[in-house]
Amino acid sequence: MKRVPAGQVHSVYRHGKPVRLLQPGTHVVLPLLDRVGHRIDLGGRTLRFDASAAVTQPLLGTVYWQVLEPERADAVIEQADQLIREGVLDALHADSDAVQDERREVAARLKCSLNKHLRERGVMVTRVELEAA
């Protein structure tokens, strides 16, 4: 028996391949065949980043994100933080006016750029906050 708490989804793997997602509640899992691969929290998460390498002035920030589609996010959930960090750095490299513009405008463009790449993976950025270091 496997109990999944509210606000979470567990992915079940059999022979190393995803079989199903367990929604909140109590489920029967075969002990020797099935294993829980990921415990995906559906609530919001935060990620702090330092984008000093991407722009000339030191820039710190926080990205607030959450999983919207656990079936898609299961494959990338372990690398989600790294994907977001790389997305921030790539977006700031591409946006040469990032430091001169107002932080709210830069944060809005970052959020849009991150969501463009992450939505197809079942993850959505809900907010980006920037602060000068």
Side-chain angles (χ1 to χ4, degrees), residues 40-45 65-71 73-74 77 121-124:
I40 302 171
D41 185 11
L42 299 178
R45 298 183 190 185
W65 62 280
Q66 74 181 97
V67 173
L68 291 182
E69 299 177 49
E71 54 278 347
D74 183 42
I77 196 69
R121 294 181 171 150
V123 177
M124 183 181 87

Side-chain angles (χ1 to χ4, degrees), residues 83-118:
L83 286 171
I84 292 171
R85 276 193 187 94
E86 290 172 0
V88 166
L89 293 176
D90 290 345
L92 289 174
H93 272 305
D95 190 2
S96 60
D97 299 329
V99 180
Q100 290 89 16
D101 291 347
E102 189 175 319
R103 280 192 288 242
R104 285 185 184 171
E105 294 174 12
V106 175
R109 288 196 304 262
L110 268 176
K111 177 184 169 187
C112 182
S113 175
L114 287 170
N115 278 333
K116 194 181 302 182
H117 298 290
L118 295 173

Side-chain angles (χ1 to χ4, degrees), residues 2 10 14 24 28 48 58 64-65 75 94 97 100 108 118 120 123 126 128-129 132:
K2 182 71 181 162
H10 293 188
R14 183 175 293 164
V28 175
R48 301 263 315 144
Y64 298 87
W65 62 280
D97 299 329
Q100 290 89 16
L118 295 173
E120 63 198 24
V123 177
T126 57
V128 175
E129 291 179 355

Side-chain angles (χ1 to χ4, degrees), residues 6-7 14 17 19 27 30 36 41 59-60 64 68 73 75 80 87 89 94 100 103-104 108 125 130:
R14 183 175 293 164
K17 295 183 177 135
V19 178
H27 304 274
L30 301 174
V36 173
D41 185 11
L59 187 67
L60 302 172
Y64 298 87
L68 291 182
L89 293 176
Q100 290 89 16
R103 280 192 288 242
R104 285 185 184 171
V125 173
L130 298 176

